[in-house]
Amino acid sequence: MAETTTRAGLPKGFRSAELGWPELHRIPRPPYRLPLLGDVLGGSRSAPVQDSLKYARRLGPIFRRNAFGKEFVFTWGAGLVADLADESRFAKHVGLGVANLRPVAGDGLFTAYNHEPNWQLAHDVLAPGFSREAMAGYHPMMLAMAERLTEHWDRAAAGGSAVDVPGDMTKLTLETIARTGFGHDFGSFERPRPHPFVTAMVGTLTYAQRLNSVPAPLTPLLLRGASRRNAADIAHLNRIVDEVVRVRRAGGGSGDGDLLDRMLETAHPETGERLSSENVRRQVITFLVAGHETTSGALSFALHYLSRHPDVAARARAEVDRVWGDGEAPGYEQVARLRYVRRVLDESLRLWPTAPAFAREARADTVLGGEHPMRRGAWTLVLTPMLHRDPEVWGADAERFDPDRFDRNGRRGGGRHTRKKPFGTGARACIGRQFALHEATLVQKTAAAAVRAAGRSRVSAAGDRAAHADAGGVAAVAGTQGCDDGARDGL
């Protein structure tokens, strides 16, 4: 289970909040608590994010909940989160849900404990792969994949059928990260069913989520069959990635400096260390899973909002026409000129970030917000969708979809710690956030044109499905188990 920033002097495994919060009794909790079961009355297993938002609105900017004897502290007030963003006092906490993914991702960038050396090694080796120069190199492949999406949707429109937005976004973003990062083609658009990699990935994520809701002593009994399937899914993911690496090694490094080339060929600039073969596999799995799944969710939400707000969609299409018109394929620099399209994405990520929570832990004994004492190693879950709805930052209409919140004048929002945190915070924030934002902005341009070409009646059905897509993914198991159907119902 989860360890902390450093190994010494702290208990291993899951640490319930009463171990780290000396004045836990001062933090509000739901009124009806049952022995052994905890705060289950009135809760929802099928809609955990929406459930957490309900309690957040009721209990305030910091609250706690108990599940099967495990006590969790949730935080969402902008002032408290600004405090938690202080890297000198707080660090990433690999919480229960993320730790459940370590059997498949090990010490990959997302699941590594802070004290594990491979995290810093991989970060330093791979960071240049997300530089401006590298991003410009990825742009043509992103554009090619966006054009494939358009062709796919054009065929659906010609045949008079609606399109599956969440499913197609998953195909698109998987192919994009696989091809730009690892030179691999999953053939997602040519398959009548999801690629086996996607099936195995969903299986491992589902199993990790189930572990969060089953008391540990009952896991061998209740999840015996699921455990066997999970082991088979992990083995399948490993086989696929091992084959990708084998082909690359056999080709002598033919990725033109892509992420896999960097993993296999690049030494740390200061120490000369290289990633081990096992860690290369873990990083590839991390990027293939996290690098496509959350981006597809962000795009699904953005297109949902476009389908529900025709005035916004019209402005986005007008900007696309103004910036690109009917000319040749757009260059990398032109994507940055789609300012309104980007604001649509920013506002979608504000309301429904596909990473619904991230965890922070105290590096040393401290006091959060000048009010709540925390011992070293104490941790809390930052409830991102509620942080992004804090009326003190976003105003009384924080629940309303309004891309103009992010106009150049910056008429809303506070400092950089309080505005928006869809990619986490600090040194362990998502390394690929610029990759994801560039890809999503480019694809939104393509999708906005497709909405116009296909007609709203053809794509709005897909918008409805976007509102029910499983956009939580890897980050979903960070603690709140994802952006669920109930969250979509709240739209």
Side-chain angles (χ1 to χ4, degrees):
M1 305 297 279
E3 295 178 15
T4 187
T5 306
T6 56
R7 293 175 181 170
L10 288 170
K12 295 183 179 180
F14 175 80
R15 297 192 302 282
S16 194
E18 61 267 16
L19 298 177
W21 296 76
E23 298 182 13
L24 185 66
H25 65 279
R26 296 177 53 231
I27 298 176
R29 66 169 178 85
Y32 305 110
R33 177 168 290 184
L34 298 178
L36 301 179
L37 298 179
D39 303 321
V40 298
L41 292 179
S44 172
R45 291 184 59 188
S46 63
V49 172
Q50 190 76 346
D51 199 40
S52 295
L53 296 188
K54 175 185 69 176
Y55 283 109
R57 294 184 179 100
R58 184 181 303 167
L59 298 173
I62 183 170
F63 65 99
R64 57 191 170 106
R65 295 180 68 184
N66 186 288
F68 303 111
K70 296 183 175 69
E71 193 85 20
F72 299 83
V73 173
F74 293 81
T75 309
W76 61 268
L80 296 177
V81 176
D83 214 18
L84 291 167
D86 182 353
E87 286 284 291
S88 68
R89 295 167 55 214
F90 296 94
K92 172 174 177 171
H93 176 74
V94 179
L96 178 63
V98 176
N100 289 341
L101 290 171
R102 282 183 60 89
V104 62
D107 56 353
L109 282 170
F110 179 68
T111 48
Y113 297 122
N114 294 314
H115 66 261
E116 291 181 308
N118 274 333
W119 173 78
Q120 192 68 59
L121 172 61
H123 184 275
D124 293 346
V125 166
L126 292 172
F130 297 97
S131 65
R132 185 175 180 278
E133 180 182 8
M135 291 294 301
Y138 301 144
H139 175 79
M141 183 61 71
M142 291 182 179
L143 184 61
M145 291 309 304
E147 290 172 348
R148 286 189 64 189
L149 173 71
T150 301
E151 293 169 358
H152 176 68
W153 282 7
D154 284 345
R155 288 192 298 270
S161 59
V163 296
D164 176 2
V165 168
D168 287 345
M169 292 300 105
T170 297
K171 293 177 181 179
L172 173 77
T173 53
L174 174 64
E175 291 297 337
T176 299
I177 186 61
R179 296 186 187 195
T180 58
F182 310 106
H184 186 73
D185 183 352
F186 283 107
S188 298
F189 282 104
E190 292 73 38
R191 291 176 173 270
R193 299 183 182 86
H195 189 280
F197 180 90
V198 175
T199 302
M201 176 201 73
V202 171
T204 59
L205 295 176
T206 301
Y207 181 78
Q209 288 180 305
R210 292 185 67 185
L211 287 177
N212 289 339
S213 60
V214 175
L218 299 180
T219 298
L221 176 63
L222 298 181
L223 299 182
R224 182 179 304 171
S227 297
R228 288 195 296 267
R229 290 191 297 272
N230 184 59
D233 286 335
I234 292 174
H236 189 77
L237 292 176
N238 289 342
R239 284 195 299 271
I240 290 176
V241 172
D242 287 347
E243 177 62 14
V244 170
V245 174
R246 185 196 66 77
V247 170
R248 175 61 58 86
R249 289 189 187 277
S254 56
D256 296 325
D258 65 9
L259 293 177
L260 185 54
D261 271 356
R262 293 178 187 276
M263 291 181 192
L264 296 176
E265 306 297 334
T266 305
H268 191 279
E270 296 178 3
T271 67
E273 291 181 273
R274 294 177 183 270
L275 296 176
S276 68
S277 296
E278 181 182 43
N279 191 256
V280 167
R281 174 205 282 169
R282 290 171 172 174
Q283 303 297 356
V284 172
I285 289 176
T286 296
F287 276 103
L288 285 175
V289 175
H292 93 276
E293 207 267 352
T294 50
T295 307
S296 68
L299 280 165
S300 296
F301 275 113
L303 294 180
H304 169 77
Y305 281 117
L306 284 173
S307 74
R308 285 290 179 267
H309 297 270
D311 56 326
V312 174
R315 285 182 64 182
R317 290 194 298 266
E319 182 179 67
V320 170
D321 291 342
R322 184 173 63 255
V323 171
W324 286 338
D326 297 322
E328 298 180 357
Y332 171 75
E333 299 288 350
Q334 288 179 284
V335 174
R337 295 171 58 193
L338 295 175
R339 294 187 178 93
Y340 187 73
V341 171
R342 172 61 184 273
R343 293 203 294 270
V344 172
L345 178 66
D346 285 339
E347 180 70 343
S348 301
L349 281 170
R350 181 185 73 85
L351 285 170
W352 292 112
T354 51
F358 60 90
R360 300 286 284 175
E361 67 174 48
R363 295 179 181 271
D365 292 356
T366 188
V367 179
L368 177 63
E371 185 176 359
H372 299 285
M374 298 175 68
R375 297 190 180 101
R376 174 174 171 247
W379 62 281
T380 180
L381 275 170
V382 175
L383 190 59
T384 320
M386 201 63 204
L387 166 68
H388 294 173
R389 288 168 164 79
D390 189 336
E392 293 188 7
V393 174
W394 302 101
D397 64 343
E399 299 279 354
R400 185 170 65 89
F401 177 75
D402 178 13
D404 284 331
R405 295 178 199 277
F406 293 93
D407 64 15
R408 179 172 287 182
N409 295 328
R411 62 188 176 90
R412 294 279 178 83
R416 63 190 178 92
H417 290 311
T418 61
R419 278 186 65 86
K420 196 158 64 73
K421 294 286 187 181
F423 298 100
T425 193
R428 299 290 301 273
C430 176
I431 192 174
R433 55 190 174 274
Q434 293 305 320
F435 182 102
L437 290 170
H438 183 85
E439 176 189 8
T441 303
L442 176 65
V443 172
Q444 267 198 111
K445 169 265 177 189
T446 302
V451 169
R452 175 178 56 184
R456 188 174 185 276
S457 63
R458 292 297 175 196
V459 185
S460 70
D464 292 339
R465 293 203 52 184
H468 292 274
D470 180 6
V474 172
V477 293
T480 50
Q481 294 90 53
C483 294
D484 44 74
D485 287 352
R488 275 62 165 186
D489 293 340
L491 297 177

